Amino acid sequence: MSTLLEVSGVSVSFDGFKAINNLSFQIGPAEMRAIIGPNGAGKTTFMDIVTGKTRPDEGRVLWGDKSVSLLKMSEAQIAQAGVGRKFQRPTVFEDQSVFDNLLLALKKDRGPFAVLAYRQSARDAEKVAELAAEIGLSDQLSRKSGELSHGQKQWLEIGMLLAQDPQLLLVDEPAAGMTLEEREHTTTILVEAAKTRAVVVVEHDMEFVRRLNCKVTVLHEGAVLAEGSLDHVTKNQDVIDVYLGR
Ligand SMILES: Nc1ncnc2c1ncn2[C@@H]1O[C@H](COP(=O)(O)OP(=O)(O)OP(=O)(O)O)[C@@H](O)[C@H]1O
Ligand SMILES: [Mg+2]
């Protein structure tokens, strides 16, 4: 299997505390992966490292067919290279409509071809409609984004990330604060998105993880404790001891 993202021997310390400790694992293209583990295991820090927000003290983070190092790239360059990240607090423009938010995300500078793309407005409207359908907001396009429910704002944010067509989408605790129905819809969106790109989801909600129906990586003290199907890792005694049995 080819590899999209390879994290190898990565460590990072904060004030002498090793938040990530010789972490190694790989993500394949168009793979859905869940990352679970106790508070402070290093899940968010892993995403910070991949996106260039935090620089590791040691190790390698390699990206794509050509295995380029993400560690030499700026946050903007990493985003440009195809890594999208969803933050917990949505960053939608509340005063703008759903349509305009998606359109803006679509037109966000993508390099030398952005000027050419700017002229294709009919195609843009079509693309916005496609994105809205993907996130289940087709009937909300003219609504002011500030009026959306918490869940709808999260979906809009996912749509805005998908507008940039990332090869890897990192999502940190998407289910937080959502109703069961909203969580189920979020699963559907992410599963669909993972058909054409890699999606890595950090989540504490085990029902949510179960619905993702994917390989699970368990982090503990900044390293991989277990990996495999959810059934496999939840039977692992170490995983029960440090996480599930709390
Ligand atoms: N910028 C930072 N400065 C100092 N310490 C940090 C920083 N970022 C993370 N840490 C510490 O590193 C450890 C790992 O934190 P991280 O946020 O990655 O955990 P997590 O697995 O995402 O936990 P949670 O499930 O609670 O979100 C924690 O002890 C945290 O306090
Ligand atoms: Mg976290």
Side-chain angles (χ1 to χ4, degrees):
M1 191 189 81
S2 64
T3 303
L4 178 66
L5 179 75
E6 183 184 352
V7 174
S8 163
V10 167
S11 297
V12 67
S13 299
F14 298 113
D15 307 318
F17 170 76
K18 266 204 167 173
I20 298 287
N21 190 1
N22 197 20
L23 176 66
S24 299
F25 73 102
Q26 305 179 346
I27 306 288
E31 177 182 354
M32 171 74 86
R33 178 75 61 92
I35 299 182
I36 64 173
N39 298 114
K43 304 180 298 294
T44 299
T45 305
F46 152 74
M47 291 191 172
D48 289 343
I49 289 170
V50 173
T51 54
K53 191 175 168 216
T54 294
R55 298 295 171 180
D57 306 321
E58 285 173 72
R60 293 183 305 172
V61 180
L62 301 177
W63 170 253
D65 299 336
K66 299 193 182 95
S67 292
V68 297
S69 173
L70 293 184
L71 301 181
K72 296 185 184 105
M73 291 159 66
S74 68
E75 284 184 71
Q77 285 170 329
I78 291 170
Q80 191 82 38
V83 178
R85 179 184 194 173
K86 191 194 166 308
F87 286 92
Q88 227 163 322
R89 191 176 303 157
T91 54
V92 302
F93 298 104
E94 304 250 327
D95 290 337
Q96 306 284 334
S97 68
V98 170
F99 183 93
D100 285 344
N101 266 287
L102 289 171
L103 189 66
L104 283 167
L106 208 56
K107 285 183 176 293
K108 228 166 117 183
D109 188 11
R110 303 208 57 189
F113 299 107
V115 179
L116 287 176
Y118 186 73
R119 296 193 187 129
Q120 298 172 2
S121 50
R123 177 72 195 109
D124 282 347
E126 217 173 90
K127 188 82 198 68
V128 166
E130 278 170 32
L131 287 164
E134 249 181 286
I135 55 175
L137 293 181
S138 297
D139 54 355
Q140 307 288 327
L141 278 170
S142 58
R143 263 183 91 193
K144 218 188 206 187
S145 303
E147 293 169 0
L148 298 175
S149 71
H150 169 74
Q152 288 172 321
K153 280 183 198 168
Q154 301 283 338
W155 304 332
L156 176 55
E157 170 121 18
I158 293 172
M160 290 165 70
L161 287 164
L162 293 177
Q164 295 285 302
D165 202 20
Q167 277 175 269
L168 169 65
L169 183 59
L170 303 170
V171 191
D172 202 352
E173 301 196 29
M178 286 189 178
T179 64
L180 176 61
E181 215 176 313
E182 287 174 333
R183 276 177 276 163
E184 285 176 353
H185 182 56
T186 306
T187 319
T188 308
I189 294 171
L190 294 175
V191 167
E192 192 59 35
K195 288 180 181 167
T196 52
R197 74 199 76 238
V199 177
V200 175
V201 182
V202 167
E203 190 46 70
H204 287 290
D205 179 340
M206 285 303 127
E207 279 314 304
F208 191 95
V209 172
R210 182 167 295 286
R211 282 192 303 269
L212 293 176
N213 191 26
C214 66
K215 189 169 172 181
V216 178
T217 299
V218 186
L219 291 195
H220 175 55
E221 294 177 345
V224 175
L225 181 66
E227 199 165 71
S229 69
L230 184 61
D231 285 335
H232 172 78
V233 300
T234 53
K235 282 190 198 115
N236 181 307
Q237 193 56 45
D238 293 335
V239 176
I240 294 168
D241 291 346
V242 306
Y243 186 48
L244 299 171
R246 292 169 308 169

